Amino acid sequence: MIGVALLLALAPPSVTIASVRGEQRLPVRQVAAQPMVSAMALVAALGGTARRQDEWLEVVVARQQLRFLVGAPFAVASGRVEPLAFPVVLERDSVFLPFQVVSELLPRVHRDRYRYDAAADRLVDTGWQLVQ
């Protein structure tokens, strides 16, 4: 239980997504007393796609599919189940992902593409390069 309390205490009020599209600041909301980000806002900031199919949210970012089951504390990436500290939440018609998706899951699943800078509360897309 201490780990969950620590996650709640360490979650920033917002996170910056930095990519070739520029920088976008997403709020980190407390949804069901858990630090969460809007799935659709995150996917849009990353230039990905998302669609809901029944209770699943299927997300494609950096050409890789991630699947989230609403109400469950896990994701499926490359056929592997990835545990999450909190379940995915559906609030009205919006899906919220645990902040851990930004801070840990994306950088782990996309090691060569995303890096999370906890000191600056930034997820950086390192998979693109500017051409001079």
Side-chain angles (χ1 to χ4, degrees):
M1 200 58 136
I2 292 172
V4 171
L6 187 59
L7 281 173
L8 288 170
L10 294 177
S14 63
V15 63
T16 300
I17 309 299
S19 73
V20 70
R21 292 169 218 53
E23 292 189 357
Q24 293 184 323
R25 197 165 225 13
L26 304 180
V28 177
R29 296 182 41 200
Q30 295 298 316
V31 178
Q34 304 162 9
M36 308 288 256
V37 294
S38 163
M40 295 308 172
L42 177 61
V43 170
L46 295 172
T49 60
R51 72 181 178 110
R52 277 200 46 214
Q53 184 174 359
D54 299 321
E55 294 301 312
W56 288 92
L57 175 68
E58 295 180 358
V59 171
V60 176
V61 292
R63 294 188 215 140
Q64 183 171 345
Q65 183 184 59
L66 298 167
R67 298 183 74 217
F68 300 93
L69 180 61
V70 173
F74 67 84
V76 178
S78 299
R80 291 184 34 201
V81 175
E82 300 283 345
L84 298 173
F86 304 112
V88 175
V89 173
L90 177 63
E91 187 177 86
R92 296 189 184 113
D93 62 345
S94 297
V95 176
F96 291 91
L97 301 174
F99 175 70
Q100 179 187 12
V101 171
V102 173
S103 64
E104 295 176 20
L105 181 66
L106 287 172
R108 185 173 61 246
V109 170
H110 296 289
R111 256 171 252 262
D112 298 331
R113 183 72 185 248
Y114 298 114
R115 178 180 50 80
Y116 182 70
D117 179 353
D121 300 323
R122 292 168 53 98
L123 179 68
V124 180
D125 183 345
T126 61
W128 56 270
Q129 305 228 342
L130 293 176
V131 178
Q132 294 182 333

